[in-house]
Amino acid sequence: MMRRLIPILAGLLAASPAVAQAPVRIGLSAPLTGPDAAFGQGLRQGAEQAVADLNRAAGGRPRWVLVPADDGGEARQAAANARKFAADGVRLVVGPLESGAVAAAAPVHEEAGAVMVAPAAAYGPLTGRGLWNLFRLGPSDAQQGRAAGAYLAKAFAGRRVGILSDRSTFGRGLADAVAARLKEAGTPEVLFDGFARGSRDLSDLVARLRAARLDAVYFGGLAPDAATLLRALRAAGLGTTLVASDGILDPSFAAAAGADGDGTVMTLAPDPPRLPEPRGARPAPRSPEAESVSAGAYAAVELLTQATERARAADPKTGRIADGRKVAEALRAGPSRTLLGSVAFDARGDRSAAPIALRIWRRTADGRLDYAGNDVEP
């Protein structure tokens, strides 16, 4: 009798569906509308494809589910999204994009036990507040400032370097990081000064720059003021080399600086890789803005899912994560392989040895000002 039952039971087991693990939800907070919508759609495209690729690798089961939310690039809405994620039990979050939105959402996520990976937020103090749950992929302003300082110490060794800022928190943070790196290299700046955002008359400042006989000047600030500074320098006959951060990475810089911007050096994150070609579907067209952030969102999903798996943080029956601290610990424990390459984080949540490129703005044959492909040796 028992021998006759064995084949029957085997057949029943083979016909029964395997017990599937409940899907784990991943929140996405991004500016899907508003002035930064092109970037937000890139974040969504990258995160959606990462989830689709991971589910395909798991045999087509919905192992992971993306829950997108529009924050419009606004801090208040980003915080509201965070509260909604918390109420819904979402403990893994990609985004937001803007530093202000990240700053508003991070404490809400921390209280809820949610882990967040911000693909692009650069404001230095974000990761200096002791939050256990915040990680970022892009180089911080402080990391960019130190890279610029290292470049100036090498490229202008034995020459006179000055540092300026727009006196904002952003600009002063960059300037301080450059100054610290120059001091470490034994070549401190000969002038540390600044001017307020939106200033038009820089004649007094330019007079001080002329008196300092500067070969190069670092400027911590944004594109419009960098262009104003360059025009003032060139009008005074000064050929001082300007070095800045990706704060000048804006079409308005090329338009406003024109020929005066030729030779300006800029730090920025390296060009991101393209998303893998989706299987069984045509690749979605992406704008340059979307292309610049989609790989970061893809990698953020990879990081969160790998850490969740390593920590065994999700309940197989419900897909819920009770507390994201285990996921955060797994993220800090060691490097993960992602579309961006090997990624590891330091104790603050900044990417360890975040790659930073140096590019120089040059006039093209048709008279435009562009930096694409103009790499500078660090």
Side-chain angles (χ1 to χ4, degrees):
M1 182 71 176
M2 181 61 69
R3 258 182 278 177
R4 283 200 299 261
L5 281 174
I6 289 174
I8 296 172
L9 290 171
L12 288 173
L13 288 170
S16 300
V19 178
Q21 181 166 334
V24 180
R25 289 173 296 170
I26 303 172
L28 170 70
S29 183
L32 304 178
T33 59
D36 290 331
F39 294 100
Q41 293 299 334
L43 291 177
R44 182 170 187 165
Q45 290 169 341
E48 284 179 340
Q49 185 170 334
V51 166
D53 289 347
L54 287 166
N55 286 337
R56 187 179 299 109
R61 295 185 292 110
R63 178 73 182 86
W64 310 95
V65 175
L66 188 71
V67 184
D70 180 17
D71 59 39
E74 298 290 338
R76 181 177 298 179
Q77 187 56 46
N81 288 350
R83 289 190 289 272
K84 180 68 165 56
F85 286 148
D88 292 344
V90 176
R91 299 293 181 259
L92 307 177
V93 179
V94 175
L97 174 72
E98 294 87 350
S99 292
V102 172
V108 181
H109 288 309
E110 182 189 36
E111 185 176 353
V115 181
M116 57 193 298
V117 176
Y123 181 52
L126 281 176
T127 51
R129 297 185 295 169
L131 298 176
W132 61 264
N133 66 322
L134 175 57
F135 300 83
R136 63 169 153 205
L137 282 172
S140 69
D141 296 332
Q143 288 172 318
Q144 284 200 56
R146 291 185 63 80
Y151 165 75
L152 286 163
K154 180 179 178 181
F156 292 87
R159 301 162 73 183
R160 300 174 68 82
V161 174
I163 299 175
L164 303 177
S165 79
D166 62 4
R167 294 178 178 159
S168 68
T169 302
F170 163 72
R172 182 58 188 260
L174 285 164
D176 287 343
V178 173
R181 186 65 186 87
L182 287 174
K183 185 177 180 180
E184 288 174 8
T187 57
E189 75 279 359
V190 298
L191 176 144
F192 194 104
D193 209 326
F195 60 95
R197 281 183 177 177
S199 297
R200 289 289 175 260
D201 183 5
L202 301 182
S203 55
D204 289 344
L205 174 64
V206 170
R208 294 194 294 275
L209 298 178
R210 181 192 292 278
R213 297 178 289 111
L214 299 177
D215 297 293
V217 62
Y218 181 85
F219 175 63
L222 301 176
D225 295 314
T228 298
L229 174 61
L230 278 167
R231 290 196 303 269
L233 288 170
R234 302 302 178 247
L238 299 177
T240 310
T241 298
L242 182 72
V243 180
S245 77
D246 59 4
I248 68 170
L249 186 56
D250 188 289
S252 67
F253 177 72
D260 293 334
D262 188 64
T264 298
V265 178
M266 171 180 64
T267 59
L268 73 167
D271 293 335
R274 295 181 63 86
L275 295 185
E277 293 296 331
R279 295 181 183 177
R282 287 186 176 183
R286 287 185 292 273
S287 67
E289 293 87 354
E291 198 72 59
S292 69
V293 296
S294 58
Y298 190 104
V301 170
E302 290 181 300
L303 287 162
L304 289 168
T305 55
Q306 289 177 35
T308 299
E309 296 282 19
R310 288 199 301 268
R312 298 182 180 180
D315 185 325
K317 294 181 179 179
T318 65
R320 286 182 172 261
I321 298 172
D323 192 336
R325 286 184 182 273
K326 288 184 177 180
V327 179
E329 290 169 3
L331 281 173
R332 285 193 171 88
S336 301
R337 294 180 62 184
T338 74
L339 181 62
L340 300 180
S342 179
V343 173
F345 296 99
D346 62 20
R348 293 162 57 100
D350 287 323
R351 184 175 174 183
S352 301
I356 298 174
L358 286 155
R359 299 277 172 80
I360 188 167
W361 292 79
R362 290 294 189 196
R363 294 187 69 186
T364 60
D366 59 2
R368 294 181 299 108
L369 191 66
D370 199 359
Y371 66 88
N374 299 329
D375 291 329
V376 178
E377 285 296 322

